[in-house]
Amino acid sequence: MTDTLAPSIPAFTKVAQERRVVTAIPGPKSNALHERRNAVVASGAASGFPIYVDHAHGGILVDVDGNQFIDLGSGIGVTTIGHTDDGVVAAASRQLGELTHGLFTITPYEGYVRVAELLAQHTPGDFAKKTVLVNSGAEAVENGVKIARKYTGRRAVAVLDHAFHGRTNLTMAMNYKSMPYGLGFGPFAGDIHHAPSSYPYHDGLSGAEAAERTIAFLEKTAGASDLACLVVEPIQGEGGFMVPAEGYLPALQRWCTDNGIVFIADEIQAGMARTGKYFSSEHLGLVPDLVLSAKGIAGGLPLAAVTGRAEIMDASHPGGLGGTFGGNPVSTAAAIAVFESIETNDLLAEAVRIENTLKPELLRLQSKFDIIGDVRGIGAMLAMEFVQPGTGATTKEANSAAVSAISTYAFEHGVILLTAGTYGNVIRFLPSLAVSDELLLDAVSVIEDALASL
Ligand SMILES: *Cc1c(COP(=O)(O)O)cnc(C)c1O
């Protein structure tokens, strides 16, 4: 199978790893596609960067006009090991010709089992673990909550301020920000309690103080004995890449354990080698009861997982978990290739390399431009928070205008730069681990020009 299918792997996946702007951005072909799109695609599914991608490889996107962009977003942390990674393309192509769909809950196949074994091996904690595979991050969150409710026999769910967990009905209710994720889309699921989080740049609290605040809030508003689970992003994603104060999450975890609350780590953005560990929980001294994976797990193919303590995962009756496409064979083949690549190419070290190259540059920019209030993050998950001029030491007033101006400037100069933050004032870096130091430094020079042009 491999030999006959290998030649069909497109040769265009070999893309020179360089930035190249050859037309106005967006170019004429992208503009033409955009007109067609506007006639038939729902406006709710909006695009941040209206260039139409023709192909991609490694850290470079090539649009239909032949422009080459340094991709520092990776489709929001999905192509963590690089676009059209050779191993993923080969494994998925081969699998397509062998079994495209099986429906694991009808007639199972090995790939699903293998991914569950790999997740049991690589998620934190050395206890017996089990996994269920689904299609999307939001679906993983839904299933994590569902399993925790069944296990505990309790209803209520706790989440943290600045959280993002998805776009389904339950997860919309779990998000902090209503615009754009929830506004007008209610009524929402009930029994969700939003508690204050740890945001060291703004609250100045130690981990212990912030945990005390969170716990006091939840005990008052929800009641510990009513809570089925606490769902946290160990490093918050859409909220702005906040790394919590030291000891904050372990203290919450202890409180959960003491009160029979399932501790769920939403590692959908921060997991799968993004931070230089398989899961960001490892940096923070956390061993979650359940870990949610999605985004980077299958190199761009849709796959998500709930992995955790066997006794919790097994709380559901047979048939209670599943879904038609969950754990699709092509996606699981791709996920196995991702795990293999992390091992054989020592990709955890690549995330550390990216931090070692990029973070000093961001700190250098911070010392030069006072609107950069904070530089934070771990591995290939870094961010800069922008404030109004002169407020960095005082009110730290959000500066979203600077962020959109920089992102637009970068786009027009061939760099895809994502924004984030509850107040839209954060630039986040989610490069693939295949992005070279040279490309990172080239992107930084564009950002520096953008800052100078403000
Ligand atoms: C993206 C994301 C989700 C939702 O994942 P989808 O695949 O878009 O449903 C949930 N949690 C976090 C932390 C995310 O970054």
Short mmCIF file of all heavy atoms in Angstrom, two decimals, residues 203-270:
data_model
loop_
_atom_site.label_atom_id
_atom_site.label_comp_id
_atom_site.label_asym_id
_atom_site.label_seq_id
_atom_site.Cartn_x
_atom_site.Cartn_y
_atom_site.Cartn_z
N ASP A 203 -3.34 40.94 38.66
CA ASP A 203 -3.84 40.89 40.04
C ASP A 203 -2.72 40.93 41.08
O ASP A 203 -2.97 41.20 42.26
CB ASP A 203 -4.78 39.68 40.26
CG ASP A 203 -4.12 38.33 40.03
OD1 ASP A 203 -2.89 38.21 40.27
OD2 ASP A 203 -4.81 37.38 39.61
N GLY A 204 -1.48 40.66 40.65
CA GLY A 204 -0.36 40.74 41.58
C GLY A 204 -0.44 39.74 42.73
O GLY A 204 0.33 39.83 43.69
N LEU A 205 -1.36 38.78 42.65
CA LEU A 205 -1.52 37.84 43.76
C LEU A 205 -0.55 36.68 43.63
O LEU A 205 -0.21 36.26 42.52
CB LEU A 205 -2.95 37.27 43.77
CG LEU A 205 -4.11 38.26 43.96
CD1 LEU A 205 -5.44 37.53 43.88
CD2 LEU A 205 -3.98 39.00 45.28
N SER A 206 -0.13 36.13 44.77
CA SER A 206 0.65 34.90 44.75
C SER A 206 -0.30 33.77 44.39
O SER A 206 -1.53 33.92 44.42
CB SER A 206 1.25 34.64 46.13
OG SER A 206 0.23 34.28 47.02
N GLY A 207 0.27 32.61 44.06
CA GLY A 207 -0.55 31.46 43.73
C GLY A 207 -1.49 31.10 44.87
O GLY A 207 -2.68 30.81 44.66
N ALA A 208 -0.96 31.15 46.10
CA ALA A 208 -1.77 30.78 47.26
C ALA A 208 -2.92 31.77 47.45
O ALA A 208 -4.07 31.38 47.71
CB ALA A 208 -0.90 30.73 48.51
N GLU A 209 -2.62 33.08 47.28
CA GLU A 209 -3.66 34.09 47.45
C GLU A 209 -4.75 33.97 46.39
O GLU A 209 -5.95 34.04 46.68
CB GLU A 209 -3.05 35.50 47.38
CG GLU A 209 -2.17 35.85 48.57
CD GLU A 209 -1.24 37.04 48.29
OE1 GLU A 209 -1.05 37.42 47.11
OE2 GLU A 209 -0.68 37.56 49.27
N ALA A 210 -4.30 33.76 45.14
CA ALA A 210 -5.27 33.65 44.05
C ALA A 210 -6.14 32.40 44.24
O ALA A 210 -7.35 32.43 44.00
CB ALA A 210 -4.56 33.61 42.70
N ALA A 211 -5.51 31.31 44.70
CA ALA A 211 -6.28 30.07 44.91
C ALA A 211 -7.30 30.26 46.02
O ALA A 211 -8.45 29.82 45.92
CB ALA A 211 -5.33 28.92 45.24
N GLU A 212 -6.89 30.96 47.07
CA GLU A 212 -7.81 31.22 48.18
C GLU A 212 -9.03 32.01 47.68
O GLU A 212 -10.17 31.72 48.05
CB GLU A 212 -7.06 32.03 49.24
CG GLU A 212 -7.59 31.88 50.64
CD GLU A 212 -6.72 32.66 51.63
OE1 GLU A 212 -5.48 32.44 51.66
OE2 GLU A 212 -7.28 33.51 52.34
N ARG A 213 -8.75 32.98 46.80
CA ARG A 213 -9.85 33.80 46.24
C ARG A 213 -10.79 32.93 45.40
O ARG A 213 -12.02 33.02 45.52
CB ARG A 213 -9.25 34.93 45.40
CG ARG A 213 -10.28 35.85 44.79
CD ARG A 213 -9.66 37.02 44.07
NE ARG A 213 -8.94 36.61 42.87
CZ ARG A 213 -8.47 37.46 41.95
NH1 ARG A 213 -8.63 38.77 42.12
NH2 ARG A 213 -7.84 37.02 40.90
N THR A 214 -10.22 32.08 44.55
CA THR A 214 -11.04 31.23 43.68
C THR A 214 -11.90 30.28 44.52
O THR A 214 -13.10 30.12 44.29
CB THR A 214 -10.13 30.40 42.75
OG1 THR A 214 -9.30 31.30 42.02
CG2 THR A 214 -10.95 29.56 41.78
N ILE A 215 -11.25 29.66 45.50
CA ILE A 215 -11.94 28.66 46.32
C ILE A 215 -13.04 29.31 47.16
O ILE A 215 -14.18 28.81 47.22
CB ILE A 215 -10.91 27.91 47.22
CG1 ILE A 215 -10.02 27.03 46.34
CG2 ILE A 215 -11.62 27.08 48.29
CD1 ILE A 215 -8.77 26.50 47.03
N ALA A 216 -12.73 30.46 47.76
CA ALA A 216 -13.74 31.16 48.56
C ALA A 216 -14.95 31.51 47.70
O ALA A 216 -16.11 31.33 48.11
CB ALA A 216 -13.14 32.43 49.18
N PHE A 217 -14.68 31.95 46.48
CA PHE A 217 -15.76 32.31 45.56
C PHE A 217 -16.65 31.10 45.26
O PHE A 217 -17.88 31.17 45.33
CB PHE A 217 -15.17 32.88 44.26
CG PHE A 217 -16.20 33.25 43.24
CD1 PHE A 217 -16.73 34.54 43.20
CD2 PHE A 217 -16.67 32.31 42.32
CE1 PHE A 217 -17.70 34.88 42.26
CE2 PHE A 217 -17.64 32.64 41.38
CZ PHE A 217 -18.15 33.93 41.36
N LEU A 218 -15.99 29.98 44.95
CA LEU A 218 -16.77 28.79 44.56
C LEU A 218 -17.53 28.21 45.74
O LEU A 218 -18.65 27.71 45.59
CB LEU A 218 -15.85 27.74 43.92
CG LEU A 218 -15.38 28.09 42.51
CD1 LEU A 218 -14.34 27.10 42.02
CD2 LEU A 218 -16.56 28.15 41.53
N GLU A 219 -16.91 28.27 46.92
CA GLU A 219 -17.63 27.74 48.08
C GLU A 219 -18.86 28.57 48.39
O GLU A 219 -19.90 28.04 48.77
CB GLU A 219 -16.67 27.64 49.29
CG GLU A 219 -15.75 26.44 49.09
CD GLU A 219 -14.81 26.15 50.24
OE1 GLU A 219 -14.56 27.06 51.06
OE2 GLU A 219 -14.31 25.01 50.30
N LYS A 220 -18.73 29.88 48.15
CA LYS A 220 -19.86 30.78 48.41
C LYS A 220 -20.94 30.65 47.35
O LYS A 220 -22.13 30.52 47.66
CB LYS A 220 -19.32 32.22 48.46
CG LYS A 220 -20.33 33.28 48.83
CD LYS A 220 -20.81 33.16 50.27
CE LYS A 220 -19.81 33.72 51.27
NZ LYS A 220 -20.23 33.45 52.66
N THR A 221 -20.55 30.65 46.07
CA THR A 221 -21.56 30.76 45.02
C THR A 221 -22.08 29.42 44.53
O THR A 221 -23.20 29.34 44.04
CB THR A 221 -21.02 31.54 43.80
OG1 THR A 221 -19.89 30.81 43.27
CG2 THR A 221 -20.58 32.94 44.17
N ALA A 222 -21.25 28.37 44.61
CA ALA A 222 -21.68 27.07 44.07
C ALA A 222 -21.87 26.05 45.19
O ALA A 222 -22.84 25.30 45.19
CB ALA A 222 -20.65 26.55 43.08
N GLY A 223 -20.93 26.02 46.11
CA GLY A 223 -20.93 24.98 47.15
C GLY A 223 -20.12 23.80 46.66
O GLY A 223 -20.46 23.20 45.64
N ALA A 224 -19.02 23.50 47.36
CA ALA A 224 -18.10 22.47 46.87
C ALA A 224 -18.81 21.13 46.65
O ALA A 224 -18.55 20.42 45.69
CB ALA A 224 -16.94 22.29 47.86
N SER A 225 -19.77 20.80 47.50
CA SER A 225 -20.38 19.47 47.43
C SER A 225 -21.33 19.34 46.24
O SER A 225 -21.82 18.25 45.95
CB SER A 225 -21.11 19.16 48.73
OG SER A 225 -22.16 20.09 48.89
N ASP A 226 -21.61 20.45 45.56
CA ASP A 226 -22.48 20.39 44.39
C ASP A 226 -21.68 20.31 43.09
O ASP A 226 -22.25 20.09 42.03
CB ASP A 226 -23.35 21.65 44.36
CG ASP A 226 -24.82 21.33 44.11
OD1 ASP A 226 -25.20 20.15 44.28
OD2 ASP A 226 -25.57 22.25 43.75
N LEU A 227 -20.36 20.51 43.19
CA LEU A 227 -19.55 20.61 41.97
C LEU A 227 -19.12 19.24 41.47
O LEU A 227 -18.50 18.47 42.20
CB LEU A 227 -18.30 21.47 42.23
CG LEU A 227 -18.52 22.98 42.30
CD1 LEU A 227 -17.24 23.67 42.77
CD2 LEU A 227 -18.96 23.54 40.95
N ALA A 228 -19.42 18.98 40.20
CA ALA A 228 -18.94 17.75 39.56
C ALA A 228 -17.49 17.91 39.13
O ALA A 228 -16.68 17.00 39.27
CB ALA A 228 -19.80 17.43 38.34
N CYS A 229 -17.16 19.09 38.60
CA CYS A 229 -15.79 19.27 38.08
C CYS A 229 -15.39 20.74 38.06
O CYS A 229 -16.22 21.63 38.07
CB CYS A 229 -15.67 18.70 36.67
SG CYS A 229 -16.85 19.38 35.49
N LEU A 230 -14.08 20.93 38.04
CA LEU A 230 -13.48 22.24 37.76
C LEU A 230 -12.70 22.06 36.47
O LEU A 230 -11.87 21.16 36.36
CB LEU A 230 -12.53 22.64 38.90
CG LEU A 230 -11.62 23.85 38.62
CD1 LEU A 230 -12.42 25.14 38.47
CD2 LEU A 230 -10.59 24.03 39.75
N VAL A 231 -13.02 22.90 35.47
CA VAL A 231 -12.35 22.80 34.18
C VAL A 231 -11.42 24.00 34.03
O VAL A 231 -11.87 25.15 34.10
CB VAL A 231 -13.37 22.78 33.02
CG1 VAL A 231 -12.67 22.55 31.68
CG2 VAL A 231 -14.44 21.71 33.25
N VAL A 232 -10.12 23.75 33.84
CA VAL A 232 -9.18 24.86 33.70
C VAL A 232 -8.26 24.63 32.50
O VAL A 232 -7.91 23.50 32.19
CB VAL A 232 -8.28 25.03 34.95
CG1 VAL A 232 -9.10 25.21 36.20
CG2 VAL A 232 -7.34 23.85 35.13
N GLU A 233 -7.89 25.72 31.84
CA GLU A 233 -6.79 25.67 30.88
C GLU A 233 -5.54 25.98 31.71
O GLU A 233 -5.42 27.09 32.24
CB GLU A 233 -6.94 26.76 29.83
CG GLU A 233 -8.17 26.67 28.95
CD GLU A 233 -8.47 28.04 28.31
OE1 GLU A 233 -7.87 28.37 27.29
OE2 GLU A 233 -9.29 28.78 28.87
N PRO A 234 -4.60 25.04 31.81
CA PRO A 234 -3.41 25.31 32.65
C PRO A 234 -2.71 26.60 32.23
O PRO A 234 -2.30 27.39 33.09
CB PRO A 234 -2.55 24.09 32.41
CG PRO A 234 -3.51 23.00 32.06
CD PRO A 234 -4.61 23.68 31.28
N ILE A 235 -2.55 26.80 30.91
CA ILE A 235 -2.14 28.12 30.40
C ILE A 235 -3.30 28.56 29.52
O ILE A 235 -3.66 27.85 28.58
CB ILE A 235 -0.85 28.03 29.57
CG1 ILE A 235 0.29 27.48 30.43
CG2 ILE A 235 -0.48 29.39 28.99
CD1 ILE A 235 1.57 27.21 29.65
N GLN A 236 -3.92 29.67 29.86
CA GLN A 236 -5.12 30.06 29.12
C GLN A 236 -4.78 30.46 27.70
O GLN A 236 -3.78 31.14 27.46
CB GLN A 236 -5.86 31.17 29.87
CG GLN A 236 -6.44 30.64 31.20
CD GLN A 236 -7.26 31.67 31.93
OE1 GLN A 236 -6.83 32.81 32.09
NE2 GLN A 236 -8.45 31.28 32.38
N GLY A 237 -5.62 30.05 26.75
CA GLY A 237 -5.36 30.30 25.34
C GLY A 237 -5.97 31.60 24.85
O GLY A 237 -5.34 32.65 24.89
N GLU A 238 -7.23 31.54 24.40
CA GLU A 238 -7.90 32.73 23.86
C GLU A 238 -7.85 33.89 24.85
O GLU A 238 -7.82 35.05 24.45
CB GLU A 238 -9.36 32.43 23.52
CG GLU A 238 -9.58 31.22 22.63
CD GLU A 238 -8.85 31.34 21.31
OE1 GLU A 238 -9.13 32.27 20.55
OE2 GLU A 238 -7.97 30.50 21.08
N GLY A 239 -7.85 33.60 26.13
CA GLY A 239 -7.85 34.63 27.17
C GLY A 239 -6.59 35.47 27.16
O GLY A 239 -6.57 36.58 27.70
N GLY A 240 -5.49 34.95 26.58
CA GLY A 240 -4.27 35.76 26.47
C GLY A 240 -3.01 35.11 27.01
O GLY A 240 -2.07 35.80 27.39
N PHE A 241 -2.97 33.78 27.01
CA PHE A 241 -1.73 33.06 27.38
C PHE A 241 -1.26 33.39 28.79
O PHE A 241 -0.06 33.57 29.05
CB PHE A 241 -0.61 33.36 26.36
CG PHE A 241 -0.80 32.66 25.03
CD1 PHE A 241 -2.03 32.21 24.64
CD2 PHE A 241 0.28 32.45 24.18
CE1 PHE A 241 -2.21 31.56 23.42
CE2 PHE A 241 0.11 31.79 22.96
CZ PHE A 241 -1.13 31.36 22.58
N MET A 242 -2.19 33.48 29.74
CA MET A 242 -1.80 33.74 31.12
C MET A 242 -1.21 32.47 31.74
O MET A 242 -1.87 31.44 31.76
CB MET A 242 -2.99 34.20 31.96
CG MET A 242 -3.46 35.59 31.60
SD MET A 242 -4.46 35.60 30.12
CE MET A 242 -6.07 35.78 30.83
N VAL A 243 0.00 32.60 32.22
CA VAL A 243 0.59 31.52 33.01
C VAL A 243 0.24 31.84 34.46
O VAL A 243 0.60 32.90 34.96
CB VAL A 243 2.12 31.47 32.83
CG1 VAL A 243 2.72 30.32 33.64
CG2 VAL A 243 2.48 31.32 31.34
N PRO A 244 -0.48 30.95 35.14
CA PRO A 244 -0.92 31.29 36.50
C PRO A 244 0.25 31.39 37.47
O PRO A 244 1.32 30.82 37.24
CB PRO A 244 -1.83 30.12 36.88
CG PRO A 244 -1.46 29.00 35.97
CD PRO A 244 -0.92 29.62 34.71
N ALA A 245 0.05 32.11 38.57
CA ALA A 245 1.09 32.24 39.59
C ALA A 245 1.44 30.86 40.14
O ALA A 245 0.59 29.96 40.18
CB ALA A 245 0.60 33.15 40.72
N GLU A 246 2.70 30.73 40.57
CA GLU A 246 3.19 29.43 41.02
C GLU A 246 2.35 28.88 42.18
O GLU A 246 2.06 29.60 43.13
CB GLU A 246 4.65 29.54 41.44
CG GLU A 246 5.32 28.19 41.44
CD GLU A 246 6.76 28.25 41.91
OE1 GLU A 246 7.41 29.31 41.69
OE2 GLU A 246 7.21 27.27 42.49
N GLY A 247 1.97 27.64 42.06
CA GLY A 247 1.22 27.00 43.13
C GLY A 247 -0.29 27.18 43.03
O GLY A 247 -1.04 26.53 43.76
N TYR A 248 -0.75 28.06 42.12
CA TYR A 248 -2.19 28.34 42.03
C TYR A 248 -2.98 27.08 41.66
O TYR A 248 -3.90 26.67 42.39
CB TYR A 248 -2.42 29.45 41.00
CG TYR A 248 -3.88 29.70 40.68
CD1 TYR A 248 -4.74 30.28 41.62
CD2 TYR A 248 -4.42 29.35 39.44
CE1 TYR A 248 -6.08 30.51 41.32
CE2 TYR A 248 -5.76 29.58 39.14
CZ TYR A 248 -6.58 30.16 40.09
OH TYR A 248 -7.90 30.38 39.79
N LEU A 249 -2.63 26.46 40.54
CA LEU A 249 -3.40 25.30 40.10
C LEU A 249 -3.22 24.09 41.01
O LEU A 249 -4.20 23.40 41.29
CB LEU A 249 -3.10 24.99 38.63
CG LEU A 249 -3.64 26.04 37.64
CD1 LEU A 249 -3.23 25.70 36.20
CD2 LEU A 249 -5.15 26.19 37.73
N PRO A 250 -2.00 23.80 41.51
CA PRO A 250 -1.89 22.69 42.46
C PRO A 250 -2.78 22.90 43.70
O PRO A 250 -3.36 21.94 44.21
CB PRO A 250 -0.40 22.69 42.85
CG PRO A 250 0.28 23.24 41.63
CD PRO A 250 -0.67 24.27 41.08
N ALA A 251 -2.91 24.15 44.16
CA ALA A 251 -3.78 24.40 45.32
C ALA A 251 -5.24 24.12 44.96
O ALA A 251 -5.99 23.54 45.75
CB ALA A 251 -3.63 25.84 45.80
N LEU A 252 -5.65 24.52 43.73
CA LEU A 252 -7.02 24.22 43.31
C LEU A 252 -7.22 22.71 43.19
O LEU A 252 -8.27 22.18 43.54
CB LEU A 252 -7.34 24.88 41.96
CG LEU A 252 -7.42 26.40 41.92
CD1 LEU A 252 -7.96 26.85 40.57
CD2 LEU A 252 -8.28 26.94 43.04
N GLN A 253 -6.18 22.05 42.68
CA GLN A 253 -6.30 20.60 42.53
C GLN A 253 -6.48 19.92 43.89
O GLN A 253 -7.30 19.02 44.04
CB GLN A 253 -5.09 20.03 41.79
CG GLN A 253 -5.27 18.53 41.55
CD GLN A 253 -4.18 17.91 40.70
OE1 GLN A 253 -3.07 18.44 40.58
NE2 GLN A 253 -4.48 16.77 40.11
N ARG A 254 -5.71 20.36 44.90
CA ARG A 254 -5.84 19.77 46.24
C ARG A 254 -7.25 19.98 46.78
O ARG A 254 -7.87 19.06 47.34
CB ARG A 254 -4.81 20.42 47.21
CG ARG A 254 -3.41 19.79 47.12
CD ARG A 254 -2.54 20.23 48.29
NE ARG A 254 -2.34 21.67 48.33
CZ ARG A 254 -1.43 22.32 47.59
NH1 ARG A 254 -0.65 21.64 46.76
NH2 ARG A 254 -1.30 23.62 47.67
N TRP A 255 -7.77 21.17 46.56
CA TRP A 255 -9.13 21.48 47.03
C TRP A 255 -10.14 20.57 46.32
O TRP A 255 -11.06 20.04 46.95
CB TRP A 255 -9.42 22.96 46.78
CG TRP A 255 -10.82 23.37 47.08
CD1 TRP A 255 -11.38 23.54 48.31
CD2 TRP A 255 -11.85 23.66 46.12
NE1 TRP A 255 -12.70 23.92 48.18
CE2 TRP A 255 -13.01 24.01 46.85
CE3 TRP A 255 -11.90 23.69 44.73
CZ2 TRP A 255 -14.21 24.35 46.23
CZ3 TRP A 255 -13.09 24.03 44.11
CH2 TRP A 255 -14.23 24.36 44.85
N CYS A 256 -9.94 20.37 45.02
CA CYS A 256 -10.84 19.48 44.26
C CYS A 256 -10.79 18.07 44.83
O CYS A 256 -11.83 17.45 45.08
CB CYS A 256 -10.45 19.45 42.78
SG CYS A 256 -10.96 20.92 41.88
N THR A 257 -9.57 17.57 45.03
CA THR A 257 -9.42 16.20 45.53
C THR A 257 -10.09 16.06 46.89
O THR A 257 -10.82 15.10 47.15
CB THR A 257 -7.92 15.86 45.63
OG1 THR A 257 -7.34 16.08 44.33
CG2 THR A 257 -7.70 14.41 46.03
N ASP A 258 -9.86 17.06 47.76
CA ASP A 258 -10.44 17.00 49.11
C ASP A 258 -11.96 17.01 49.09
O ASP A 258 -12.60 16.57 50.03
CB ASP A 258 -9.95 18.18 49.96
CG ASP A 258 -8.46 18.06 50.28
OD1 ASP A 258 -7.90 16.97 50.06
OD2 ASP A 258 -7.86 19.08 50.71
N ASN A 259 -12.52 17.58 48.01
CA ASN A 259 -13.97 17.74 47.98
C ASN A 259 -14.66 16.86 46.94
O ASN A 259 -15.83 17.10 46.59
CB ASN A 259 -14.32 19.22 47.74
CG ASN A 259 -13.99 20.08 48.95
OD1 ASN A 259 -14.76 20.13 49.91
ND2 ASN A 259 -12.83 20.73 48.94
N GLY A 260 -13.94 15.90 46.41
CA GLY A 260 -14.56 14.97 45.45
C GLY A 260 -14.94 15.61 44.13
O GLY A 260 -15.88 15.16 43.46
N ILE A 261 -14.22 16.68 43.75
CA ILE A 261 -14.50 17.38 42.49
C ILE A 261 -13.49 16.90 41.44
O ILE A 261 -12.28 16.88 41.72
CB ILE A 261 -14.37 18.92 42.69
CG1 ILE A 261 -15.34 19.40 43.78
CG2 ILE A 261 -14.56 19.66 41.38
CD1 ILE A 261 -15.00 20.77 44.35
N VAL A 262 -13.94 16.54 40.27
CA VAL A 262 -13.04 16.07 39.22
C VAL A 262 -12.28 17.28 38.64
O VAL A 262 -12.89 18.27 38.23
CB VAL A 262 -13.82 15.33 38.10
CG1 VAL A 262 -12.88 14.91 36.97
CG2 VAL A 262 -14.54 14.12 38.68
N PHE A 263 -10.95 17.18 38.63
CA PHE A 263 -10.12 18.27 38.11
C PHE A 263 -9.81 17.98 36.63
O PHE A 263 -9.14 17.00 36.32
CB PHE A 263 -8.82 18.36 38.92
CG PHE A 263 -7.95 19.54 38.57
CD1 PHE A 263 -8.02 20.73 39.28
CD2 PHE A 263 -7.07 19.47 37.49
CE1 PHE A 263 -7.23 21.81 38.96
CE2 PHE A 263 -6.27 20.55 37.16
CZ PHE A 263 -6.35 21.73 37.90
N ILE A 264 -10.32 18.84 35.76
CA ILE A 264 -10.17 18.61 34.31
C ILE A 264 -9.25 19.68 33.72
O ILE A 264 -9.52 20.87 33.85
CB ILE A 264 -11.54 18.67 33.59
CG1 ILE A 264 -12.52 17.65 34.21
CG2 ILE A 264 -11.37 18.44 32.09
CD1 ILE A 264 -13.90 17.62 33.55
N ALA A 265 -8.16 19.25 33.09
CA ALA A 265 -7.26 20.20 32.43
C ALA A 265 -7.61 20.24 30.94
O ALA A 265 -7.49 19.25 30.23
CB ALA A 265 -5.81 19.79 32.62
N ASP A 266 -8.05 21.42 30.49
CA ASP A 266 -8.30 21.64 29.07
C ASP A 266 -6.95 22.00 28.44
O ASP A 266 -6.52 23.15 28.48
CB ASP A 266 -9.33 22.75 28.88
CG ASP A 266 -9.57 23.08 27.40
OD1 ASP A 266 -8.76 22.65 26.56
OD2 ASP A 266 -10.56 23.78 27.11
N GLU A 267 -6.28 20.99 27.91
CA GLU A 267 -4.94 21.15 27.30
C GLU A 267 -5.07 21.25 25.78
O GLU A 267 -4.14 20.93 25.05
CB GLU A 267 -4.07 19.94 27.66
CG GLU A 267 -3.64 19.89 29.13
CD GLU A 267 -2.24 20.47 29.34
OE1 GLU A 267 -1.72 21.18 28.45
OE2 GLU A 267 -1.68 20.20 30.43
N ILE A 268 -6.24 21.68 25.32
CA ILE A 268 -6.51 21.66 23.89
C ILE A 268 -5.55 22.58 23.12
O ILE A 268 -5.09 22.23 22.05
CB ILE A 268 -8.00 22.01 23.64
CG1 ILE A 268 -8.86 20.82 24.10
CG2 ILE A 268 -8.28 22.37 22.19
CD1 ILE A 268 -10.33 21.11 24.27
N GLN A 269 -5.23 23.73 23.70
CA GLN A 269 -4.29 24.64 23.02
C GLN A 269 -2.85 24.45 23.51
O GLN A 269 -1.90 24.54 22.73
CB GLN A 269 -4.73 26.10 23.21
CG GLN A 269 -4.08 27.04 22.22
CD GLN A 269 -4.82 28.37 22.02
OE1 GLN A 269 -4.22 29.38 21.76
NE2 GLN A 269 -6.13 28.38 22.10
N ALA A 270 -2.68 24.19 24.79
CA ALA A 270 -1.33 24.18 25.37
C ALA A 270 -0.67 22.80 25.33
O ALA A 270 0.53 22.68 25.57
CB ALA A 270 -1.40 24.67 26.83
#
